[in-house]
Amino acid sequence: MSKAHKLDCESVSDTCRFIIQSEDETEAVELAQKHMREFHDQDLTEDELHEDHLQVV
């Protein structure tokens, strides 16, 4: 079974219901960066996303 990369704003925010999950790490990072920039006004690096927001499931 492949591992997937997941960003789940819903689990940490009562106002954001955004969830992405992808087996493609590059796709997950790009979508997560776009979401964090557009909806949370945070311009995060790939390392910051991995440390604080993306999960491997």
Side-chain angles (χ1 to χ4, degrees), residues 5 22-33 46:
H5 303 274
S22 177
E23 292 178 2
D24 182 333
E25 182 178 2
T26 301
E27 177 184 50
V29 167
E30 288 173 0
L31 291 171
Q33 284 176 319
E46 185 173 341

Side-chain angles (χ1 to χ4, degrees), residues 7-10 12-19 31-44 53:
L7 171 75
D8 183 357
C9 280
E10 187 174 44
V12 295
S13 172
D14 59 352
T15 59
C16 184
R17 301 289 177 237
F18 185 81
I19 299 172
L31 291 171
Q33 284 176 319
K34 181 178 181 190
H35 172 75
M36 297 301 284
R37 183 174 42 254
E38 291 179 0
F39 293 94
H40 300 289
D41 199 29
Q42 296 180 17
D43 196 16
L44 302 175
H53 301 287

